[in-house]
Amino acid sequence: MISKHEKTEDMQHDELHEECGVFGVYGVEDAASLTYYGLHALQHRGQEGCGIAAMDQGSIDTYKGKGLVSEVFHDAQIAKLKGDIAIGHVRYSTAGGNEIENVQPLFANLNHHKFAVVHNGQIVNAKELRIQLEKKGSIFQGSSDSEIILHLIQRAKGDFLTRIKQAFAQLEGAYACLILCEDGIFAIRDHNGLRPLSYAKLQEGYIISSESCAFDVLSGEDACDVLPGEIVWFHLDGIRKDRYCEAHSSHMCAMEYIYFARPDSVIDGINVHEARVATGMCMARKDRESGLKADIVIGVPDSSTSAAIGYAKESGIPFEMGLIKNRYVGRTFIQPTQRQRERGVRMKLSAIETIVSGKRIVMIDDSIVRGTTSRRIVQLLKEAGAREVHVRIASPAITHPCFYGVDTSSFEELISARLNSEELCRFLKADSLQFMEIEDLIASYHSDALCVACFNGQYATSLFSYGDIIRTYRFKQKKDSSK
Ligand code: SF4
């Protein structure tokens, strides 16, 4: 398994990355073609690679490659994937490298029972399970934690559903999985509900997706969430619901609402756009209490737009398009020098001088990771003539790494783990900086069934070998504070 520090520099830029999205079709003609459209709708969840596995007359055909859905798939490949059952995947690697062996679906042949797996999330006891499996003779093809699922199913006993239950009961961490086999499709969600997974009716069959935005594209109806700890089995007679363990209290990743998910998705009953608008309104109320005066509100496109709209709505300060995003900047843009990195931000974002010049601006952003991008955006606005830039972050400060499928694995890369708000404000060269409080986030979403571990360090599971990172950090903190 490669560490995140060994990834190429373009992957270490100052943004959070989700690792994957999954999509499946059961019992609908041209399932692979529908999966292609579903994956398109989930492209924001992973751009490194993608793949589709389709089942036709008991055999599974898979096609996958590195790149965007539109780059990997053309009509000819889709046409070869026949049948009315298919699963697909878009990948961003947080565990395992981006080699082709790790691009999903992963395929296995279990005593002539073929199956394919797609997985979104991160298994935190992967290292321990892999060592155990290798000792028992399992041979791994790649470095992805998802491959462990295949080996656990292979080593389990009983019918396929029983094997799945045995396998998933051993996993700890975050996962939304689809398994395709001749018995149908199994949709499985981790017992803390850290990653989203839902399904909808389509014609005589079903579609299953990491996010409900894909249902709208295909006119899916009656969307429903797979519950934490649940297995939903789509088969010839319809749906069967089962569990592989009791649900723990639900801990949906708060970052799905803040940043990752598309605003038109509904996750665990919460509309993402509305949740973001509510956070913007909350920030505006706080600023009204503190007497902040501003001329315009702008959002850092695209994920901060909803919160900026909410801020403007509550404060009465006009929302303006002060920043424009160039959507066509190369995905693999490599930035080896500081000057090139700065040029990279300028290529990606432009400040509109006629809008921002001479203005006191409230700039809404969704989160701050390393701080370098936020600093450059403040600089862009000031160079375009902004009189004041007040940065408002629609999430609490990220002080802890994520081990559940988001690519922040160390304290060093998180600026809020090192600097308090005042220090960070000076670093950004902003006129003021405010984060949301965790309680305000929960109140805005009307839900406390959230994982907020990257804001407060309270993880939903044991972290197994990753726990050393936290222990070392806390030990160092204690030592520093006693000096
Ligand atoms: S630690 Fe943060 S990013 Fe990771 S699952 Fe929890 S809320 Fe999401």
Side-chain angles (χ1 to χ4, degrees):
M1 204 179 283
I2 65 163
S3 82
K4 284 160 208 175
H5 303 289
E6 291 170 275
K7 287 181 179 177
T8 53
E9 188 152 14
D10 68 304
M11 288 156 68
Q12 293 183 334
H13 57 74
D14 189 16
E15 284 176 6
L16 290 170
H17 285 277
E18 175 79 78
E19 89 288 22
C20 299
V22 301
F23 190 84
V25 175
Y26 181 83
V28 188
E29 211 179 325
D30 293 330
S33 166
L34 296 173
T35 303
Y36 171 84
Y37 289 113
L39 293 181
H40 250 298
L42 300 178
Q43 187 74 82
H44 59 288
R45 298 182 72 89
Q47 298 93 40
E48 284 182 23
C50 59
I52 297 176
M55 172 159 270
D56 187 33
Q57 298 176 7
S59 90
I60 296 176
D61 282 320
T62 303
Y63 188 84
K64 55 190 181 180
K66 288 162 86 169
L68 300 172
V69 176
S70 58
E71 292 167 345
V72 172
F73 286 98
H74 300 285
D75 289 351
Q77 287 100 32
I78 300 281
K80 282 185 196 155
L81 296 171
K82 299 197 185 308
D84 63 356
I85 313 177
I87 58 172
H89 190 259
V90 286
R91 175 173 172 81
Y92 177 82
S93 54
T94 54
N98 69 347
E99 305 85 17
I100 189 71
E101 299 81 40
N102 291 328
V103 177
Q104 300 181 24
L106 301 176
F107 176 79
N109 194 345
L110 173 68
N111 301 328
H112 307 297
H113 193 110
K114 301 180 183 86
F115 65 101
V117 174
V118 289
H119 165 222
N120 165 214
Q122 190 170 339
I123 298 164
V124 290
N125 59 342
K127 194 172 159 193
E128 290 74 14
L129 288 171
R130 187 171 174 129
I131 292 168
Q132 286 169 21
L133 286 162
E134 283 176 338
K135 275 187 189 156
K136 288 178 191 161
S138 296
I139 297 168
F140 284 78
Q141 305 293 317
S143 55
S144 153
D145 59 341
S146 313
E147 200 181 332
I148 285 162
I149 298 167
L150 303 183
H151 289 281
L152 289 176
I153 292 173
Q154 275 180 320
R155 289 190 170 271
K157 304 256 181 299
D159 61 26
F160 203 69
L161 177 61
T162 310
R163 282 171 181 264
I164 287 177
K165 286 185 185 178
Q166 286 173 22
F168 279 84
Q170 296 176 64
L171 301 180
E172 198 59 85
Y175 43 87
C177 273
L178 300 180
I179 301 178
L180 162 74
C181 67
E182 56 192 25
D183 298 330
I185 293 179
F186 296 85
I188 305 133
R189 193 169 166 204
D190 71 75
H191 52 256
N192 287 299
L194 282 152
R195 293 283 152 236
L197 188 63
S198 50
Y199 58 94
K201 194 94 190 73
L202 181 69
Q203 299 165 25
E204 298 308 308
Y206 293 91
I207 46 179
I208 313 135
S209 177
S210 288
E211 279 184 47
S212 67
C213 60
F215 299 153
D216 301 331
V217 173
L218 297 171
S219 305
E221 292 175 336
D222 305 328
C224 192
D225 290 306
V226 177
L227 300 177
E230 193 174 53
I231 302 172
V232 182
W233 178 10
F234 301 86
H235 57 93
L236 268 181
D237 299 325
I239 289 181
R240 174 174 162 186
K241 292 187 180 186
D242 212 321
R243 306 195 64 82
Y244 64 92
C245 73
E246 287 308 310
H248 295 206
S249 52
S250 189
H251 287 85
M252 166 53 64
C253 167
M255 272 294 169
E256 290 281 351
Y257 300 110
I258 293 163
Y259 177 73
F260 298 126
R262 260 178 46 168
D264 51 340
S265 286
V266 176
I267 298 175
D268 284 352
I270 301 174
N271 177 289
V272 174
H273 168 72
E274 285 171 13
R276 289 179 187 167
V277 169
T279 56
M281 292 173 80
C282 175
M283 290 190 288
R285 281 193 290 275
K286 297 243 156 164
D287 277 343
R288 189 162 54 218
E289 283 163 21
S290 69
L292 180 77
K293 300 274 180 282
D295 303 308
I296 57 169
V297 183
I298 64 170
V300 177
D302 293 316
S303 50
S304 309
T305 305
S306 302
I309 289 170
Y311 191 105
K313 199 169 154 185
E314 181 70 25
S315 64
I317 301 168
F319 169 75
E320 287 283 1
M321 293 289 286
L323 291 165
I324 295 291
K325 185 173 179 179
N326 181 349
R327 283 163 221 289
Y328 304 100
V329 175
R331 176 173 44 87
T332 53
F333 188 69
I334 296 170
Q335 305 161 330
T337 68
Q338 182 66 15
R339 181 176 287 188
Q340 281 171 304
R341 275 194 286 275
E342 279 171 18
R343 205 175 290 143
V345 172
R346 283 169 196 281
M347 279 178 71
K348 207 167 166 187
L349 282 173
S350 309
I352 305 179
E353 202 173 321
T354 49
I355 291 178
V356 304
S357 182
K359 300 286 187 348
R360 296 168 299 177
I361 297 171
V362 174
M363 180 194 109
I364 310 282
D365 206 350
D366 46 69
S367 53
I368 294 184
V369 185
R370 294 174 185 81
T372 46
T373 299
S374 308
R375 184 170 136 126
R376 285 184 210 124
I377 297 171
V378 172
Q379 189 188 350
L380 275 182
L381 292 167
K382 293 238 167 156
E383 283 172 5
R387 185 143 59 102
E388 293 171 15
V389 180
H390 300 275
V391 178
R392 296 294 176 267
I393 305 298
S395 65
I398 301 176
T399 54
H400 286 70
C402 176
F403 305 99
Y404 299 133
V406 174
D407 72 337
T408 54
S409 66
S410 72
F411 284 96
E412 292 73 42
E413 61 196 312
L414 301 172
I415 197 160
S416 290
R418 303 194 306 274
L419 305 184
N420 63 31
S421 271
E422 291 78 42
E423 292 165 335
L424 183 49
C425 184
R426 281 198 291 277
F427 172 79
L428 299 181
K429 298 195 170 137
D431 292 275
S432 70
L433 167 69
Q434 291 292 336
F435 288 93
M436 287 198 82
E437 300 293 334
I438 293 177
E439 308 77 63
D440 291 334
L441 192 77
I442 288 169
S444 298
Y445 295 174
H446 302 292
S447 170
D448 61 0
L450 295 171
C451 173
V452 289
C454 51
F455 313 128
N456 66 7
Q458 291 173 18
Y459 296 90
T461 67
S462 163
L463 295 174
F464 295 84
S465 44
Y466 293 112
D468 288 345
I469 297 172
I470 307 289
R471 282 188 285 277
T472 309
Y473 175 74
R474 290 192 179 141
F475 177 72
K476 190 175 168 295
Q477 258 189 333
K478 211 168 155 189
K479 216 168 131 192
D480 291 349
S481 65
S482 66
K483 272 181 192 165

CSV table of all heavy atoms in Angstrom, one decimal, residues 168-205:
chain,number,residue,atom,x,y,z
A,168,PHE,N,-18.4,-9.1,5.9
A,168,PHE,CA,-18.5,-7.7,6.3
A,168,PHE,C,-18.5,-7.5,7.8
A,168,PHE,O,-18.2,-6.4,8.3
A,168,PHE,CB,-19.8,-7.1,5.6
A,168,PHE,CG,-19.5,-6.7,4.2
A,168,PHE,CD1,-19.6,-7.7,3.2
A,168,PHE,CD2,-19.1,-5.4,3.9
A,168,PHE,CE1,-19.3,-7.3,1.9
A,168,PHE,CE2,-18.8,-5.1,2.6
A,168,PHE,CZ,-18.9,-6.0,1.6
A,169,ALA,N,-18.9,-8.6,8.5
A,169,ALA,CA,-18.9,-8.4,10.0
A,169,ALA,C,-17.4,-8.3,10.5
A,169,ALA,O,-17.2,-7.8,11.6
A,169,ALA,CB,-19.5,-9.7,10.6
A,170,GLN,N,-16.4,-8.6,9.6
A,170,GLN,CA,-15.0,-8.4,10.0
A,170,GLN,C,-14.4,-7.1,9.7
A,170,GLN,O,-13.3,-6.8,10.1
A,170,GLN,CB,-14.2,-9.5,9.4
A,170,GLN,CG,-14.6,-10.9,9.8
A,170,GLN,CD,-13.7,-12.0,9.0
A,170,GLN,OE1,-12.5,-12.0,9.1
A,170,GLN,NE2,-14.4,-12.7,8.2
A,171,LEU,N,-15.2,-6.3,8.9
A,171,LEU,CA,-14.6,-5.0,8.4
A,171,LEU,C,-14.9,-3.9,9.4
A,171,LEU,O,-16.0,-3.8,9.9
A,171,LEU,CB,-15.2,-4.7,7.0
A,171,LEU,CG,-15.0,-5.6,5.9
A,171,LEU,CD1,-15.6,-5.1,4.6
A,171,LEU,CD2,-13.5,-5.9,5.7
A,172,GLU,N,-14.0,-3.0,9.6
A,172,GLU,CA,-14.2,-1.8,10.4
A,172,GLU,C,-13.8,-0.6,9.5
A,172,GLU,O,-12.9,-0.7,8.7
A,172,GLU,CB,-13.3,-1.9,11.6
A,172,GLU,CG,-13.7,-1.0,12.7
A,172,GLU,CD,-15.1,-1.2,13.3
A,172,GLU,OE1,-15.3,-2.1,14.1
A,172,GLU,OE2,-16.0,-0.5,12.8
A,173,GLY,N,-14.6,0.4,9.6
A,173,GLY,CA,-14.3,1.6,8.8
A,173,GLY,C,-15.6,2.1,8.0
A,173,GLY,O,-16.7,1.9,8.4
A,174,ALA,N,-15.3,2.6,6.8
A,174,ALA,CA,-16.3,3.2,6.0
A,174,ALA,C,-16.5,2.4,4.7
A,174,ALA,O,-15.5,2.2,4.0
A,174,ALA,CB,-16.0,4.7,5.7
A,175,TYR,N,-17.7,2.0,4.4
A,175,TYR,CA,-17.9,1.4,3.1
A,175,TYR,C,-19.3,1.4,2.6
A,175,TYR,O,-20.2,1.2,3.4
A,175,TYR,CB,-17.3,-0.1,3.1
A,175,TYR,CG,-17.7,-0.9,4.3
A,175,TYR,CD1,-18.9,-1.6,4.3
A,175,TYR,CD2,-16.8,-1.0,5.3
A,175,TYR,CE1,-19.2,-2.4,5.4
A,175,TYR,CE2,-17.1,-1.7,6.5
A,175,TYR,CZ,-18.3,-2.4,6.5
A,175,TYR,OH,-18.6,-3.1,7.6
A,176,ALA,N,-19.4,1.7,1.4
A,176,ALA,CA,-20.7,1.5,0.6
A,176,ALA,C,-20.3,0.6,-0.5
A,176,ALA,O,-19.4,1.0,-1.3
A,176,ALA,CB,-21.2,2.8,0.1
A,177,CYS,N,-20.8,-0.6,-0.6
A,177,CYS,CA,-20.3,-1.6,-1.5
A,177,CYS,C,-21.5,-2.2,-2.3
A,177,CYS,O,-22.6,-2.3,-1.9
A,177,CYS,CB,-19.8,-2.8,-0.7
A,177,CYS,SG,-18.1,-2.7,-0.3
A,178,LEU,N,-21.1,-2.6,-3.6
A,178,LEU,CA,-22.1,-3.3,-4.4
A,178,LEU,C,-21.3,-4.6,-4.8
A,178,LEU,O,-20.2,-4.5,-5.2
A,178,LEU,CB,-22.5,-2.5,-5.6
A,178,LEU,CG,-23.2,-1.2,-5.4
A,178,LEU,CD1,-23.6,-0.6,-6.7
A,178,LEU,CD2,-24.5,-1.4,-4.6
A,179,ILE,N,-22.1,-5.7,-4.8
A,179,ILE,CA,-21.5,-7.0,-5.2
A,179,ILE,C,-22.4,-7.6,-6.3
A,179,ILE,O,-23.6,-7.7,-6.0
A,179,ILE,CB,-21.3,-8.0,-4.1
A,179,ILE,CG1,-20.4,-7.4,-3.0
A,179,ILE,CG2,-20.8,-9.3,-4.6
A,179,ILE,CD1,-20.2,-8.2,-1.8
A,180,LEU,N,-21.9,-7.8,-7.4
A,180,LEU,CA,-22.6,-8.4,-8.5
A,180,LEU,C,-22.3,-9.9,-8.7
A,180,LEU,O,-21.1,-10.2,-8.7
A,180,LEU,CB,-22.3,-7.6,-9.8
A,180,LEU,CG,-22.6,-8.3,-11.2
A,180,LEU,CD1,-24.1,-8.2,-11.4
A,180,LEU,CD2,-21.8,-7.6,-12.3
A,181,CYS,N,-23.3,-10.7,-8.7
A,181,CYS,CA,-23.1,-12.2,-9.0
A,181,CYS,C,-24.3,-12.7,-9.6
A,181,CYS,O,-25.3,-12.0,-9.9
A,181,CYS,CB,-22.8,-12.9,-7.7
A,181,CYS,SG,-24.1,-12.9,-6.5
A,182,GLU,N,-24.3,-14.0,-9.9
A,182,GLU,CA,-25.5,-14.6,-10.6
A,182,GLU,C,-26.8,-14.6,-9.7
A,182,GLU,O,-27.9,-14.7,-10.2
A,182,GLU,CB,-25.2,-16.0,-11.2
A,182,GLU,CG,-24.8,-17.0,-10.2
A,182,GLU,CD,-24.2,-18.2,-10.9
A,182,GLU,OE1,-23.8,-18.1,-12.0
A,182,GLU,OE2,-24.3,-19.3,-10.2
A,183,ASP,N,-26.6,-14.4,-8.4
A,183,ASP,CA,-27.8,-14.2,-7.5
A,183,ASP,C,-28.4,-12.8,-7.6
A,183,ASP,O,-29.4,-12.6,-7.0
A,183,ASP,CB,-27.4,-14.5,-6.1
A,183,ASP,CG,-26.9,-15.9,-5.9
A,183,ASP,OD1,-27.3,-16.8,-6.6
A,183,ASP,OD2,-26.0,-16.1,-5.0
A,184,GLY,N,-27.7,-11.9,-8.2
A,184,GLY,CA,-28.2,-10.5,-8.3
A,184,GLY,C,-27.2,-9.5,-7.8
A,184,GLY,O,-26.0,-9.7,-8.0
A,185,ILE,N,-27.7,-8.4,-7.2
A,185,ILE,CA,-26.7,-7.4,-6.7
A,185,ILE,C,-27.0,-7.3,-5.2
A,185,ILE,O,-28.2,-7.2,-4.7
A,185,ILE,CB,-26.9,-6.0,-7.4
A,185,ILE,CG1,-26.5,-6.1,-8.8
A,185,ILE,CG2,-26.2,-4.9,-6.6
A,185,ILE,CD1,-26.7,-4.8,-9.6
A,186,PHE,N,-25.9,-7.2,-4.4
A,186,PHE,CA,-26.0,-7.0,-3.0
A,186,PHE,C,-25.5,-5.6,-2.7
A,186,PHE,O,-24.4,-5.3,-3.2
A,186,PHE,CB,-25.2,-8.0,-2.2
A,186,PHE,CG,-25.7,-9.4,-2.3
A,186,PHE,CD1,-25.3,-10.2,-3.4
A,186,PHE,CD2,-26.5,-10.0,-1.4
A,186,PHE,CE1,-25.7,-11.5,-3.5
A,186,PHE,CE2,-27.0,-11.3,-1.5
A,186,PHE,CZ,-26.6,-12.1,-2.6
A,187,ALA,N,-26.3,-4.8,-2.0
A,187,ALA,CA,-25.8,-3.4,-1.7
A,187,ALA,C,-25.6,-3.4,-0.1
A,187,ALA,O,-26.5,-3.8,0.6
A,187,ALA,CB,-26.8,-2.4,-2.0
A,188,ILE,N,-24.4,-3.0,0.3
A,188,ILE,CA,-24.0,-3.1,1.7
A,188,ILE,C,-23.4,-1.8,2.2
A,188,ILE,O,-22.6,-1.2,1.5
A,188,ILE,CB,-23.0,-4.2,1.9
A,188,ILE,CG1,-23.5,-5.5,1.3
A,188,ILE,CG2,-22.6,-4.4,3.4
A,188,ILE,CD1,-22.5,-6.2,0.4
A,189,ARG,N,-23.9,-1.4,3.4
A,189,ARG,CA,-23.4,-0.1,3.9
A,189,ARG,C,-22.8,-0.3,5.3
A,189,ARG,O,-23.3,-1.1,6.1
A,189,ARG,CB,-24.5,0.9,4.0
A,189,ARG,CG,-24.1,2.3,4.3
A,189,ARG,CD,-25.3,3.2,4.0
A,189,ARG,NE,-25.0,4.5,4.6
A,189,ARG,CZ,-25.9,5.4,5.0
A,189,ARG,NH1,-27.2,5.1,4.9
A,189,ARG,NH2,-25.6,6.5,5.5
A,190,ASP,N,-21.7,0.3,5.6
A,190,ASP,CA,-21.0,0.1,6.9
A,190,ASP,C,-22.0,0.4,8.1
A,190,ASP,O,-22.9,1.2,7.9
A,190,ASP,CB,-19.7,0.9,7.0
A,190,ASP,CG,-20.0,2.4,7.2
A,190,ASP,OD1,-20.3,2.8,8.2
A,190,ASP,OD2,-19.7,3.1,6.2
A,191,HIS,N,-21.7,-0.2,9.2
A,191,HIS,CA,-22.7,-0.1,10.3
A,191,HIS,C,-22.7,1.2,11.0
A,191,HIS,O,-23.6,1.5,11.9
A,191,HIS,CB,-22.4,-1.3,11.4
A,191,HIS,CG,-21.0,-1.3,11.8
A,191,HIS,ND1,-20.1,-2.3,11.4
A,191,HIS,CD2,-20.3,-0.6,12.7
A,191,HIS,CE1,-19.0,-2.1,12.0
A,191,HIS,NE2,-19.0,-1.1,12.7
A,192,ASN,N,-21.8,2.1,10.7
A,192,ASN,CA,-21.9,3.5,11.2
A,192,ASN,C,-22.5,4.5,10.1
A,192,ASN,O,-22.7,5.6,10.4
A,192,ASN,CB,-20.5,4.0,11.6
A,192,ASN,CG,-20.0,3.4,12.8
A,192,ASN,OD1,-20.6,3.5,13.9
A,192,ASN,ND2,-18.9,2.7,12.8
A,193,GLY,N,-22.8,3.9,9.0
A,193,GLY,CA,-23.4,4.8,7.9
A,193,GLY,C,-22.5,5.9,7.5
A,193,GLY,O,-23.0,7.0,7.2
A,194,LEU,N,-21.2,5.7,7.5
A,194,LEU,CA,-20.2,6.8,7.2
A,194,LEU,C,-20.3,7.3,5.7
A,194,LEU,O,-20.1,8.4,5.4
A,194,LEU,CB,-18.8,6.4,7.5
A,194,LEU,CG,-18.5,6.4,9.0
A,194,LEU,CD1,-17.4,5.4,9.3
A,194,LEU,CD2,-18.0,7.8,9.4
A,195,ARG,N,-20.6,6.3,4.8
A,195,ARG,CA,-20.7,6.7,3.4
A,195,ARG,C,-22.1,6.5,2.9
A,195,ARG,O,-22.8,5.5,3.3
A,195,ARG,CB,-19.7,5.8,2.6
A,195,ARG,CG,-18.2,6.1,2.9
A,195,ARG,CD,-17.8,7.4,2.2
A,195,ARG,NE,-16.7,8.0,3.0
A,195,ARG,CZ,-16.6,9.2,3.5
A,195,ARG,NH1,-17.6,10.0,3.2
A,195,ARG,NH2,-15.6,9.6,4.2
A,196,PRO,N,-22.5,7.3,2.0
A,196,PRO,CA,-23.9,7.2,1.6
A,196,PRO,C,-24.2,6.1,0.6
A,196,PRO,O,-23.3,5.8,-0.2
A,196,PRO,CB,-24.2,8.6,0.9
A,196,PRO,CG,-22.8,9.1,0.5
A,196,PRO,CD,-21.8,8.5,1.4
A,197,LEU,N,-25.4,5.6,0.6
A,197,LEU,CA,-25.8,4.6,-0.5
A,197,LEU,C,-27.3,4.5,-0.5
A,197,LEU,O,-27.9,4.4,0.6
A,197,LEU,CB,-25.2,3.2,-0.1
A,197,LEU,CG,-25.3,2.1,-1.2
A,197,LEU,CD1,-24.6,2.5,-2.5
A,197,LEU,CD2,-24.8,0.8,-0.7
A,198,SER,N,-27.9,4.6,-1.6
A,198,SER,CA,-29.3,4.6,-1.7
A,198,SER,C,-29.7,3.9,-3.0
A,198,SER,O,-28.9,3.7,-3.9
A,198,SER,CB,-29.9,6.0,-1.6
A,198,SER,OG,-29.3,6.9,-2.5
A,199,TYR,N,-31.0,3.6,-3.1
A,199,TYR,CA,-31.5,2.9,-4.3
A,199,TYR,C,-32.9,3.5,-4.7
A,199,TYR,O,-33.5,4.2,-3.9
A,199,TYR,CB,-31.6,1.4,-4.2
A,199,TYR,CG,-32.5,0.9,-3.0
A,199,TYR,CD1,-33.8,0.6,-3.3
A,199,TYR,CD2,-32.0,0.9,-1.7
A,199,TYR,CE1,-34.6,0.2,-2.2
A,199,TYR,CE2,-32.8,0.4,-0.7
A,199,TYR,CZ,-34.1,0.1,-0.9
A,199,TYR,OH,-34.9,-0.3,0.1
A,200,ALA,N,-33.2,3.3,-6.0
A,200,ALA,CA,-34.5,3.8,-6.5
A,200,ALA,C,-35.1,2.8,-7.5
A,200,ALA,O,-34.4,2.0,-8.0
A,200,ALA,CB,-34.3,5.2,-7.1
A,201,LYS,N,-36.4,2.9,-7.7
A,201,LYS,CA,-37.1,2.1,-8.7
A,201,LYS,C,-36.8,2.6,-10.1
A,201,LYS,O,-36.9,3.8,-10.3
A,201,LYS,CB,-38.6,2.1,-8.3
A,201,LYS,CG,-39.4,1.1,-8.9
A,201,LYS,CD,-39.5,-0.2,-8.0
A,201,LYS,CE,-40.2,-1.3,-8.8
A,201,LYS,NZ,-39.4,-2.0,-9.7
A,202,LEU,N,-36.6,1.8,-11.0
A,202,LEU,CA,-36.5,2.2,-12.4
A,202,LEU,C,-37.1,1.1,-13.3
A,202,LEU,O,-36.7,0.0,-13.3
A,202,LEU,CB,-35.0,2.4,-12.8
A,202,LEU,CG,-34.8,2.9,-14.3
A,202,LEU,CD1,-35.3,4.3,-14.5
A,202,LEU,CD2,-33.4,2.8,-14.7
A,203,GLN,N,-38.2,1.5,-14.0
A,203,GLN,CA,-39.0,0.6,-14.8
A,203,GLN,C,-39.3,-0.6,-13.9
A,203,GLN,O,-39.8,-0.5,-12.8
A,203,GLN,CB,-38.3,0.2,-16.0
A,203,GLN,CG,-38.0,1.4,-16.9
A,203,GLN,CD,-37.0,1.1,-18.0
A,203,GLN,OE1,-36.7,0.0,-18.4
A,203,GLN,NE2,-36.3,2.2,-18.5
A,204,GLU,N,-39.0,-1.9,-14.4
A,204,GLU,CA,-39.3,-3.1,-13.6
A,204,GLU,C,-38.1,-3.4,-12.6
A,204,GLU,O,-38.2,-4.4,-12.0
A,204,GLU,CB,-39.6,-4.3,-14.5
A,204,GLU,CG,-40.7,-4.1,-15.4
A,204,GLU,CD,-42.0,-3.7,-14.7
A,204,GLU,OE1,-42.4,-4.3,-13.7
A,204,GLU,OE2,-42.6,-2.6,-15.0
A,205,GLY,N,-37.1,-2.6,-12.6
A,205,GLY,CA,-35.9,-3.0,-11.8
A,205,GLY,C,-35.5,-1.9,-10.9
A,205,GLY,O,-36.4,-1.1,-10.4
